[in-house]
Structure formats: C-alpha cells, structure tokens
Amino acid sequence: MPAQLLEGKSVALKIKEHIKLEIESLKNKYSAQPKLVSIQVGENSASEIYIKSQEKTARELGIYYELRKLDGKITQDELIKAIDNLNNDKNVHGIIVQMPLPQVIDAKLISRFISPLKDAEAVHPQNMGEIVFGRTKILPCTAAACMELLDSVPAFELYGKEAVIVGHSEIVGKPLALLLLNKFATVTICHIATGQRGTLPEFIKKAEILIVAVGKAALIKGEWIKEGAIVIDVGINRVEGRIVGDVEFDKAAERASYITPVPGGVGPLTVTILMRNVVEAFKQQQ
Ligand code: NAP
C-alpha cells in the first residue's frame, strides 16, 4: 500500500490540546466554562454511540455536557419550545439536536429554531450562509473535519487543485464545496445524477483531492483514483459485520498518496470539531 494513512485521531489530538488551553484561559477570564446541551428525542442506537462519544470528549476537554432526553411522542411544537428554552438560558452555550428525529418532526425545519449563536453543529441557515463569505468560525463538523485532514498533509497546498466531492448533502458535500472554494481549490460536486449518468469515473479520474460522502460501500472503484490523489472517505457502511467506507480501500490505496481509513479517518475528528464550535460559541456569547 503506497498511500499513507490520514488518521483523524492524531489530528484530533492536536486540536484537543489547543481547546484545553483555550478553555483554561476562558475559565480564568470569565469564571465560567462552556456548556453543551444535547437533545435526544426517543431512543436510537446510532445516536447513542455519537452521544457517548460527545459526553466523553466534552468531559476530557472541560466542557459541561448535558443530555436532555425527550419523549419519542413529543410534537414538533413541543420540541421547538424545548429548544427555545435553551436558546434563552444564558448558562447554555451550545445546542445539538440528535438525528434522526421521529418522522412526524421536520428535521430541516428544526435546525432553524436553534439560535445561530448556540448552533454547535452549524446547521442553522445563517451559519451555513456565513460560509459563503468565509466569515464564520462555527462550521459544519464533518465538512470542517475533512478540511482539517487536508490541512494535516505535509507541505500540501489546496490553491488551484482539482477537488472532487461525491455527495451533495447539506451537512457534508455542500458546505465542504464552499470551504474548499474559499481556499481556491477548483471544485466539482458529483451527486446522484452524476452517478445515474455514468460519468462518476471521468470526474474522479481528474481528482487530485477526492472526498466521498454518500453511504454506499464500494461505490468508488480503486482503479478510478488518480495517481497521487488525496482520498477522504466520509462514508460509513456496515458490510458483513464490518464498517467500511464508500471507496474500495485496498485498490485505492495502491494509487493514492494519502487515504483515510474507515473507521478511523473522519469519524474521530467530527466530535472534536463539535467541541471547538462550542468553545467558539461560548466566546461569541461573552
Ligand atoms: P446523505 O444526506 O444521504 O447524502 C448522500 C449524498 O450522496 C446525497 O447527496 C446523494 O444524492 C448522493 N448520492 C447517492 N447515491 C449516489 C450515487 N450513486 N452517486 C453519487 N452520489 C450519490 O448522507 P450524509 O449525511 O451526507 O452522509 C453520507 C455518508 O457519510 C453516510 O455514509 C454517513 O453515515 C457518513 N457520515 C460520516 C460522518 C463521520 O463523521 N465519519 C459524518 C456524517 C456522515 P441525492 O441526495 O441527490 O440522492
């Protein structure tokens, strides 16, 4: 495997050290610590894992973490009211609403009710919009994690590079395209229609940076990868009891210069970026 591994854990460690120092100095300055409140509606095994990792990381960094479990039968209006109470609580600096929500609740609508100042995942349209102007420091966690991974590649410059993203979701593909554009990469976004048209391989063959966030195992064939490309695989798929990404890892690693493992690539960084957002939100609220 000629490619080097781009592991999220080591990048996360560096960011965590920085966050710890920052929290210490904020404690001295304001005699207060950032607090993140996580709302979980009903039970969900996928979000349980994420919540545990949030709790553990927050504790490690010195961020107060509170989980508010709401009944799975709650109405949309009741959820909005619960969010609003947190918006108005000056001791709460970050809010996250765990997904998925029950089907009767419109998840996209809910993100509009989190105060943009306390929006720990940067899902509010205002925070999304600020990315266009390159102004916000509160960033969508997974997209920002991909940027940190690219930043960790030694002597790598994004300026003018051909970057191809596969997947155009609101939380990953779309904000990531803007973050890359803000660094002067030449960005192409592929999505379901590209896949249906059968032109994915031709875009991917040109990609010096390839970021895939779809959720389909082996969607991206190893032989499509450009020699020397940097490959970031965001996808998480369970195949025969194993977790794999969207890229055929072994074959892609023969051609790439750097590649993220799945698990162990983007995942460990996402929760760290969430905490960095909470600290940033705390600072903006002081
Ligand atoms: P999503 O909202 O379902 O988006 C998937 C995207 O892929 C959509 O834009 C979809 O297009 C596109 N797509 C579907 N089939 C395609 C195909 N055959 N060819 C090209 N594009 C195709 O998912 P997401 O929330 O962005 O997550 C994507 C993956 O990343 C999932 O596996 C998720 O578990 C993983 N993830 C990992 C992390 C992490 O921390 N590691 C964080 C978030 C997500 P249409 O919408 O037009 O159908």
Side-chain angles (χ1 to χ4, degrees), residues 50 141-143 145 166-174 189-196 200 212-216 219-220 233-237 244-246 262 265-271:
Y50 196 33
C141 304
T142 311
V166 188
H168 66 159
S169 71
E170 281 89 7
I171 61 161
V172 192
K174 285 190 181 114
I189 312 177
C190 300
H191 42 71
I192 188 74
T194 327
Q196 286 167 349
L200 264 184
V212 189
V214 173
K216 287 189 180 151
L219 174 73
I220 308 299
D233 191 352
V234 181
I236 301 175
N237 310 286
V244 299
D246 294 341
V262 180
V266 182
L269 250 178
T270 338
V271 69

Side-chain angles (χ1 to χ4, degrees), residues 154-271:
F156 175 70
E157 185 58 72
L158 260 172
Y159 194 91
K161 292 284 185 333
E162 291 267 1
V164 174
I165 302 168
V166 188
H168 66 159
S169 71
E170 281 89 7
I171 61 161
V172 192
K174 285 190 181 114
L176 185 58
L178 291 168
L179 292 172
L180 287 165
L181 192 58
N182 290 346
K183 299 273 180 192
F184 290 92
T186 304
V187 185
T188 303
I189 312 177
C190 300
H191 42 71
I192 188 74
T194 327
Q196 286 167 349
R197 199 169 172 215
T199 46
L200 264 184
E202 67 189 64
F203 286 108
I204 288 166
K205 282 176 182 168
K206 287 196 306 181
E208 295 170 289
I209 300 148
L210 174 67
I211 305 177
V212 189
V214 173
K216 287 189 180 151
L219 174 73
I220 308 299
K221 307 299 170 210
E223 70 257 27
W224 299 348
I225 305 296
K226 186 180 171 73
E227 285 289 343
I230 298 173
V231 178
I232 298 183
D233 191 352
V234 181
I236 301 175
N237 310 286
R238 193 173 287 276
V239 176
E240 293 165 2
R242 278 190 327 128
I243 301 286
V244 299
D246 294 341
V247 179
E248 279 186 343
F249 181 85
D250 290 345
K251 287 188 197 150
E254 291 302 322
R255 303 174 67 85
S257 57
Y258 288 87
I259 188 165
T260 53
V262 180
V266 182
L269 250 178
T270 338
V271 69

Side-chain angles (χ1 to χ4, degrees), residues 5 31 36 49 77 83 107 159 186 207 209 230-231 261 264 275 277:
L5 287 181
S31 304
L36 171 63
I49 299 169
D77 285 347
I83 293 171
Y159 194 91
T186 304
I209 300 148
I230 298 173
V231 178
M275 299 304 156
N277 282 346

Side-chain angles (χ1 to χ4, degrees), residues 17-252:
E17 284 315 310
H18 184 78
I19 295 176
K20 277 186 203 164
L21 290 175
E22 197 159 26
I23 289 178
E24 274 312 307
S25 96
L26 291 171
K27 269 201 304 200
N28 291 334
K29 194 167 172 190
Y30 300 108
S31 304
Q33 264 165 274
K35 177 172 177 179
L36 171 63
V37 175
S38 163
I39 297 182
Q40 185 188 30
V41 183
E43 301 290 326
N44 182 280
S45 57
S47 59
E48 295 289 345
I49 299 169
Y50 196 33
I51 286 165
K52 282 209 172 74
S53 141
Q54 287 166 12
E55 247 173 343
K56 182 170 167 277
T57 312
R59 201 176 318 120
E60 184 190 338
L61 297 176
I63 293 173
Y64 292 124
Y65 185 87
E66 184 188 328
L67 175 63
R68 295 218 177 153
K69 286 190 173 213
L70 304 182
D71 193 287
K73 293 197 181 80
I74 195 173
T75 65
Q76 187 162 287
D77 285 347
E78 285 167 333
L79 176 57
I80 290 169
K81 181 85 187 91
I83 293 171
D84 207 40
N85 287 339
L86 296 174
N87 287 340
N88 294 321
D89 183 341
K90 65 176 177 32
N91 296 315
V92 174
H93 310 98
I95 302 168
I96 172 169
V97 179
Q98 301 295 335
M99 298 293 151
L101 288 170
Q103 280 192 340
V104 292
I105 296 176
D106 180 347
K108 283 189 183 168
L109 180 84
I110 287 300
S111 64
R112 293 172 181 265
F113 288 90
I114 301 172
S115 159
L117 274 177
K118 299 190 177 185
D119 178 23
E121 287 189 304
V123 288
H124 189 283
Q126 184 176 315
N127 285 324
M128 284 284 177
E130 291 287 5
I131 304 173
V132 172
F133 304 99
R135 279 206 312 228
T136 178
K137 288 186 175 171
I138 297 179
L139 294 166
C141 304
T142 311
C146 294
M147 294 303 287
E148 291 293 341
L149 283 168
L150 288 175
D151 218 32
S152 74
V153 174
F156 175 70
E157 185 58 72
L158 260 172
Y159 194 91
K161 292 284 185 333
E162 291 267 1
V164 174
I165 302 168
V166 188
H168 66 159
S169 71
E170 281 89 7
I171 61 161
V172 192
K174 285 190 181 114
L176 185 58
L178 291 168
L179 292 172
L180 287 165
L181 192 58
N182 290 346
K183 299 273 180 192
F184 290 92
T186 304
V187 185
T188 303
I189 312 177
C190 300
H191 42 71
I192 188 74
T194 327
Q196 286 167 349
R197 199 169 172 215
T199 46
L200 264 184
E202 67 189 64
F203 286 108
I204 288 166
K205 282 176 182 168
K206 287 196 306 181
E208 295 170 289
I209 300 148
L210 174 67
I211 305 177
V212 189
V214 173
K216 287 189 180 151
L219 174 73
I220 308 299
K221 307 299 170 210
E223 70 257 27
W224 299 348
I225 305 296
K226 186 180 171 73
E227 285 289 343
I230 298 173
V231 178
I232 298 183
D233 191 352
V234 181
I236 301 175
N237 310 286
R238 193 173 287 276
V239 176
E240 293 165 2
R242 278 190 327 128
I243 301 286
V244 299
D246 294 341
V247 179
E248 279 186 343
F249 181 85
D250 290 345
K251 287 188 197 150

